[in-house]
């Protein structure tokens, strides 16, 4: 089997490399020449744990190739995946489908025999039908099917997520396309991964409903955290207490500075837009969008309050700027709201991120970038943890104290224990865990 992957970004490159591992021949296509040149010289243009080795294995064996030549890649492929970006359209929140439609037109020019065209990009309900229409109009003679196969991988654990997904969703009415998709995903079927065959529209909506639900869960616990701060409860214990309820589940209950990233912000907006157009507004999702936006903006005020109400002329050390750890992705990261607001309030910001500084540089132009966590702290008033990279979880607290002007740690990811921090002599601020709110007994086995 041979597949072509159009779009070699976070999803396209990971999916392409993983399909190669399934034993399929994969050609990854991107119109960005610098990306393809980098890949050809053995350099993976994004940071994703384990991806370098997988791509190197594919390139060396010849089972994974990369090119800018879409026509060549598509010619003779059994399956052509579309994995291009679908960012928010400026102004109205709708998904910008211009890359998808452009790719569909390019593909239509080059298809030869029967081909399954698979939408991997996250696209609003009805997009598959439109892509079908575009290709059919250009190539009325051609045999093909357009299938929806949304991707659920998370940046930072993308390979594991792809190789061991909770489920695979395939939306198509065509028995012929279904058989080909079954063959492709056979390695996962053998691992007893649930493979859900649905209508194309249903598959498209499953992706948006998933992301909107997860964004809602995050926003819910964030609001509960604010309530904890006011009433002396501890949000980590609340999250554990509700998460142990099998109907709720433990995941996505970590209070923090608000969700960011390449998916939740744009996908919630797009779903709200689709629902409004369909005359059935999703008011919960609309509230989530507003609450999350307000939260990200309010974070700087919290930091300023923790610093005593004024940061004018002060230096702050920021640890982590990417939207989450184990990625270099800066899209919609809370740091993009927080850091400029701190600077506007007069602070000098020194920052360090293990993988995100190249991406972040142009987006946060007035930051002083440092080589490591401790270097950011030299002469700083306080440390602010925005992203919970592992290397920030076990800082040498005595060293931190010796470097700071005063021992003040503002932890927007709740990675330290409040009582331990107080015992270590720190003024410590976290999210939804006010002083004295620690659990006395966290777990009792009977
Ligand atoms: N990033 C994630 O974690 C994630 C997870 C699940 C789903 N998705 C969805 O997957 C899609 C892709 O996301 P991403 O983060 O990989 O985007 P990305 O921006 O990292 O990559 C998209 C790539 O497509 C290329 N491209 C655009 N038009 C092209 C064309 N006509 N021909 C060839 N290449 C073209 C771009 O140059 C870019 O390299 C989006 O719809 C996104 O919502 C993303």
């Amino acid at each position: 089997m041979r597949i072509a992957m159009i779009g070699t970004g976070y999803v396209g490159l990971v999916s392409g490399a993983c399909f190669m591992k399934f034993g399929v021949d994969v050609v990854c296509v991107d119109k960005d020449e610098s990306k393809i040149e980098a890949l050809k010289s053995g350099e993976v243009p994004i940071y994703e744990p384990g991806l370098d080795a997988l791509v190197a294995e594919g390139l060396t064996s010849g089972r994974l190739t990369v090119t800018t030549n879409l026509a060549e890649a598509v010619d003779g492929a059994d399956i052509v995946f579309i994995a291009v970006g679908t960012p928010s359209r400026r102004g109205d929140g709708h998904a910008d489908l211009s890359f998808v439609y452009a790719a569909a037109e390019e593909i239509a020019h080059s298809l030869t025999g029967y081909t399954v065209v698979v939408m991997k990009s996250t696209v609003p309900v009805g997009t598959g039908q439109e892509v079908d229409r575009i290709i059919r109009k250009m190539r009325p003679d051609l045999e093909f099917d357009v299938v929806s196969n949304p991707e659920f991988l998370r940046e930072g654990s993308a390979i594991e997520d792809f190789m061991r997904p909770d489920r695979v969703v395939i939306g198509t009415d065509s028995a012929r396309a279904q058989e080909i998709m079954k063959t492709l995903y056979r390695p996962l079927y053998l691992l007893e991964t649930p493979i859900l065959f649905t209508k194309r529209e249903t598959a498209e909506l499953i992706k948006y409903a998933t992301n909107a639900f997860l964004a809602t869960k995050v926003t819910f616990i964030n609001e509960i955290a604010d309530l904890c701060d006011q009433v002396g409860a501890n949000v980590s214990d609340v999250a554990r207490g509700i998460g142990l309820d099998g109907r709720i589940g433990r995941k996505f209950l970590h209070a923090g500075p608000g969700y960011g990233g390449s998916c939740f912000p744009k996908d919630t907006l797009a779903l709200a837009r689709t629902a409004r157009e369909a005359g059935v507004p999703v008011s919960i999702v609309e509230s989530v969008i507003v609450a999350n936006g307000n939260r990200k903006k309010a974070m700087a005020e919290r930091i300023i309050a923790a610093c005593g109400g004024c940061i004018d002329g002060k230096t702050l050390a920021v640890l982590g700027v990417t939207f989450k750890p184990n990625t270099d992705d800066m899209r919609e990261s809370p740091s993009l709201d927080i850091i400029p607001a701190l600077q506007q309030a007069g602070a000098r910001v020194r920052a360090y991120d293990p993988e995100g500084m190249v991406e972040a540089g142009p987006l946060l132009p007035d930051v002083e970038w440092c080589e490591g966590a401790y270097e950011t702290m030299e002469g700083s008033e306080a440390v602010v943890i925005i992203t919970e990279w592992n290397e920030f979880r076990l800082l040498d607290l005595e060293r931190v104290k010796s470097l700071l002007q005063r021992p003040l740690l503002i932890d927007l990811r709740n990675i330290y224990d409040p009582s331990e921090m107080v015992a270590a002599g720190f003024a410590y601020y976290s999210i939804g865990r006010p002083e004295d709110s620690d659990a006395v007994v966290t777990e009792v086995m009977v």
Side-chain angles (χ1 to χ4, degrees):
M1 181 178 270
R2 195 162 81 72
I3 67 176
M5 185 69 65
I6 314 303
T8 306
Y10 287 86
V11 164
L13 188 55
V14 170
S15 309
C18 291
F19 281 134
M20 174 282 298
K21 201 70 184 157
F22 287 2
V24 175
D25 286 330
V26 181
V27 188
C28 280
V29 185
D30 208 288
K31 62 179 184 182
D32 181 338
E33 284 179 14
S34 63
K35 247 181 207 182
I36 296 302
E37 281 315 308
L39 280 163
K40 280 184 175 164
S41 64
E43 195 190 312
V44 174
I46 53 170
Y47 176 73
E48 180 61 45
L51 190 57
D52 302 34
L54 204 56
V55 168
E57 181 188 331
L59 294 175
T60 312
S61 67
R63 281 188 288 131
L64 175 69
T65 48
V66 294
T67 181
T68 52
N69 190 332
L70 185 141
E72 248 176 52
V74 164
D75 184 9
D78 301 289
I79 308 177
V80 176
F81 279 91
I82 299 179
V84 301
T86 49
S88 277
R89 198 161 67 189
R90 269 183 200 285
D92 64 5
H94 214 297
D96 178 352
L97 296 173
S98 54
F99 298 110
V100 169
Y101 294 149
E105 285 180 17
E106 285 180 71
I107 291 167
H109 277 299
S110 313
L111 290 177
T112 44
Y114 174 77
T115 315
V116 183
V117 177
V118 181
M119 190 60 67
K120 249 275 167 258
S121 300
T122 303
V123 292
V125 177
T127 307
Q129 194 180 2
E130 181 59 15
V131 167
D132 194 306
R133 197 194 59 76
I134 290 170
I135 301 176
R136 211 163 290 285
K137 190 168 168 215
M138 291 175 67
R139 300 288 304 279
D141 54 318
L142 195 78
E143 279 194 293
F144 69 95
D145 282 301
V146 176
V147 171
S148 167
N149 172 217
E151 184 49 56
F152 299 96
L153 63 76
R154 296 162 299 173
E155 287 174 21
S157 52
I159 294 172
E160 177 66 14
D161 288 349
F162 194 94
M163 294 295 203
R164 294 191 173 272
D166 290 334
R167 79 310 207 178
V168 172
V169 175
I170 296 170
T172 178
D173 291 334
S174 154
R176 191 174 180 185
Q178 218 180 82
E179 278 313 306
I180 292 175
M181 294 303 284
K182 261 189 198 160
T183 308
L184 176 67
Y185 278 107
R186 194 173 141 76
L188 295 186
Y189 178 74
L190 295 175
L191 294 174
E192 298 188 0
T193 305
I195 302 195
L196 217 65
F197 287 96
T198 67
K199 261 192 83 180
R200 193 167 55 199
E201 287 73 13
T202 308
E204 290 170 336
L205 195 52
I206 286 172
K207 174 64 192 177
Y208 278 103
T210 302
N211 276 359
F213 189 87
L214 293 173
T216 303
K217 214 172 166 189
V218 171
T219 307
F220 175 81
I221 202 68
N222 282 341
E223 292 201 330
I224 294 294
D226 291 351
L227 183 57
C228 287
D229 273 328
Q230 296 309 313
V231 300
N234 182 308
V235 75
S236 300
D237 293 340
V238 172
R240 188 153 170 69
I242 63 175
L244 284 168
D245 187 323
R247 294 168 299 179
I248 295 173
R250 291 177 180 194
K251 293 183 179 166
F252 283 79
L253 286 178
H254 300 287
Y259 62 76
S262 62
C263 293
F264 287 4
K266 77 173 177 62
D267 293 349
T268 44
L269 277 173
L271 178 65
R273 179 77 194 187
T274 300
R276 270 189 180 265
E277 280 177 5
V280 283
V282 280
S283 58
I284 292 177
V285 180
E286 296 203 10
S287 303
V288 164
I289 294 166
V290 172
N292 192 64
N294 290 343
R295 182 170 196 82
K296 288 207 266 188
K297 289 202 174 65
M299 280 299 132
E301 286 155 33
R302 291 189 190 206
I303 295 167
I304 295 167
C307 291
C310 176
I311 54 170
D312 194 12
K314 291 179 179 168
T315 302
L316 297 177
V318 167
L319 300 185
V321 293
T322 50
F323 86 94
K324 67 180 206 171
N326 295 323
T327 182
D328 57 353
D329 201 337
M330 284 295 296
R331 287 178 277 187
E332 306 284 336
S333 174
S335 67
L336 297 174
D337 283 300
I338 297 169
I339 292 175
L342 297 176
Q343 289 168 324
Q344 207 145 34
R348 205 177 127 210
V349 174
R350 292 162 67 78
Y352 165 70
D353 187 283
E355 295 291 341
M357 294 194 288
V358 173
E359 285 293 312
L363 303 170
L364 295 166
D366 298 322
V367 166
E368 284 172 44
W369 298 102
C370 299
E371 292 292 310
Y374 296 107
E375 192 190 312
T376 63
M377 298 175 203
E378 286 166 13
S380 292
E381 179 80 11
V383 188
V384 183
I385 298 174
I386 297 185
T387 316
E388 70 278 31
W389 286 88
N390 272 343
E391 67 179 79
F392 305 147
R393 287 176 186 271
L394 259 184
L395 293 170
D396 175 345
L397 296 179
E398 284 308 312
R399 188 167 169 202
V400 172
K401 266 202 294 194
S402 74
L403 292 168
L404 291 175
Q405 289 189 359
R406 60 180 173 129
L408 173 57
L409 196 148
I410 301 161
D411 176 3
L412 302 185
R413 297 291 182 170
N414 290 354
I415 59 176
Y416 283 93
D417 185 83
S419 49
E420 279 175 25
M421 293 304 290
V422 172
F426 276 84
Y428 175 73
Y429 294 85
S430 59
I431 304 281
R433 300 182 308 164
E435 239 175 83
D436 294 334
S437 70
D438 284 17
V440 180
V441 177
T442 51
E443 215 159 305
V444 179
M445 305 294 278
V446 284

